[in-house]
Amino acid sequence: MAMRTTNFASLRAPGLRKVIFDDLEGRPFLYKRLFNVDDVLQRQKRGYIDDYPVSGLGAMPEKAEGVGVTYDEPVGGTTRRYTATTFGLGFRVTWEMQQDDLYNVANRMARKLSKSGRNRVNVDTFYPFNNGFGTNFTSYDSLSWFNTAHTLLRGGTQANRPAAELDFTVNNLQTALEVFKKFVDDDNQYVMIDPDLVLGAVEQQWNFKEVLESELRPDNANNAINAILGENLSYLCSPFYTDTDGWCLLGKPTDDHGLQWLWRQQFKFEESDDFDSGDSKFKLVGRYATGVTHYLGAWGTIGA
């Protein structure tokens, strides 16, 4: 496939004032706000890397006078492998098209590769939130990222999803915050992670704004203060979040949650010419792995 003079004849016709392109290339990458980002695969020159969850130590018991301390040992989990996937797209322009293109459209099309790559990254950024309630996106315990019974390495279970799904309201957000702040680690000890961000679809932005930014409670007429305002939660609504009544709470990246974005190769633009035909070829290729090792620091629901 190539851009040919027969397909784009109007671009060679005098009098065409301009060709209109939707210029979205400057919009920010969203993964940088939501993931722990690392180029470890690039540094180590490998196509995969393994995470190995290990518990800490149990609760410290009382030590009686003259008696030795109690010794404990950590418990190992299941290895979590991150394997890089390659993404790429290109286009080709015939020699004749380059000769006759009055408006330099062929060269400007190279910018569209950037747009396509950005869209790919944003789709993958929200893949965990769209698929984290089923088997397509799992934690190290092989259970869905959002689950009612995650297994603890030292025994027991813990939920980061409600038993009955909840719509976004003041009371339901308070319930979610209480669960989030009482998360325990694999040693059954409180981790004391504070939620930082509420995520949802574009349709949720009005509810989020009312609940998170109102000085008074928006759900009653008693002029009660909105206690949630003091939690300093921010929110992010995106068209890439596909469940219109689902929502999630997420801690800050770097140690507060386990979402990982591992670059093997940042998107790279390349071009070359075909000797025989004189055609020009353009491509954009990148390689990365995404996933989650541990579910802590995230809470979600698909909505009632």
Side-chain angles (χ1 to χ4, degrees):
M1 298 292 291
M3 292 181 65
R4 300 173 181 270
T5 57
T6 54
N7 301 122
F8 293 89
S10 61
L11 299 179
R12 299 181 292 114
L16 185 62
R17 188 170 67 89
K18 65 179 180 178
V19 178
I20 300 175
F21 284 87
D22 54 327
D23 188 10
L24 300 178
E25 289 79 6
R27 297 189 183 276
F29 281 122
L30 299 175
Y31 77 93
K32 296 179 181 179
R33 186 176 181 185
L34 304 180
F35 283 72
N36 296 293
V37 182
D38 200 342
D39 63 353
V40 59
L41 295 177
Q42 193 164 347
R43 295 196 312 270
Q44 296 188 2
K45 299 181 179 180
R46 297 172 62 187
Y48 70 91
I49 194 170
D50 294 332
D51 273 359
Y52 182 60
V54 179
S55 75
L57 301 176
M60 182 178 292
E62 180 179 346
K63 188 190 88 67
E65 182 178 357
V67 177
V69 298
T70 300
Y71 287 87
D72 196 5
E73 61 182 25
V75 178
T78 302
T79 299
R80 185 70 167 172
R81 173 160 292 187
Y82 292 84
T83 303
T85 301
T86 303
F87 300 93
L89 184 67
F91 71 96
R92 181 172 182 150
V93 184
T94 66
W95 180 80
E96 291 81 4
M97 183 66 198
Q98 296 176 73
Q99 290 280 305
D100 298 341
D101 181 5
L102 298 179
Y103 301 98
N104 205 28
V105 173
N107 288 335
R108 292 172 63 189
M109 280 300 298
R111 298 179 60 199
K112 301 299 109 181
L113 289 177
S114 173
K115 176 185 174 183
S116 180
R118 186 176 299 276
N119 185 76
R120 173 77 263 171
V121 167
N122 283 335
V123 168
D124 288 342
T125 296
F126 281 88
Y127 185 90
F129 304 98
N130 294 325
N131 296 276
F133 300 90
T135 57
N136 288 333
F137 194 83
T138 59
S139 180
Y140 79 96
D141 56 5
S142 298
L143 298 175
S144 58
W145 185 30
F146 299 108
N147 200 280
T148 59
H150 280 293
T151 56
L152 304 179
L153 291 179
R154 288 185 177 272
T157 62
Q158 179 170 227
N160 67 336
R161 174 184 185 178
E165 305 297 343
L166 303 174
D167 284 334
F168 186 82
T169 65
V170 173
N171 288 334
N172 289 342
L173 177 57
Q174 289 175 343
T175 297
L177 289 171
E178 291 168 3
V179 173
F180 198 104
K181 293 185 177 185
K182 294 177 73 174
F183 277 148
V184 297
D185 58 19
D186 286 302
D187 306 306
N188 204 28
Q189 300 177 24
Y190 292 119
V191 293
M192 295 187 294
I193 300 174
D194 288 323
D196 175 66
L197 188 66
V198 185
L199 293 96
V202 171
E203 290 82 357
Q204 291 276 30
Q205 61 184 316
W206 318 114
N207 292 333
F208 288 179
K209 190 175 184 65
E210 286 183 353
V211 172
L212 298 177
E213 296 183 359
S214 298
E215 293 186 4
L216 303 179
R217 284 189 57 145
D219 59 335
N220 63 57
N222 297 329
N223 287 333
I225 64 169
N226 183 9
I228 292 176
L229 193 64
E231 296 295 324
N232 296 317
L233 290 170
S234 55
Y235 66 90
L236 175 62
C237 296
S238 172
F240 295 98
Y241 199 118
T242 57
D243 185 354
T244 57
D245 60 348
W247 53 286
C248 301
L249 289 177
L250 194 66
K252 292 181 179 180
T254 310
D255 298 329
D256 276 2
H257 66 72
L259 272 180
Q260 306 292 327
W261 189 288
L262 307 177
W263 281 107
R264 180 65 179 91
Q265 172 64 60
Q266 293 269 3
F267 277 106
K268 183 179 181 181
F269 174 72
E270 295 179 305
E271 59 180 301
S272 66
D273 293 328
D274 182 77
F275 177 79
D276 291 330
S277 66
D279 296 354
S280 293
K281 296 183 290 185
F282 306 85
K283 69 177 182 179
L284 187 70
V285 179
R287 196 176 180 202
Y288 55 84
T290 64
V292 63
T293 300
H294 208 291
Y295 63 87
L296 283 177
W299 182 98
T301 175
I302 60 174

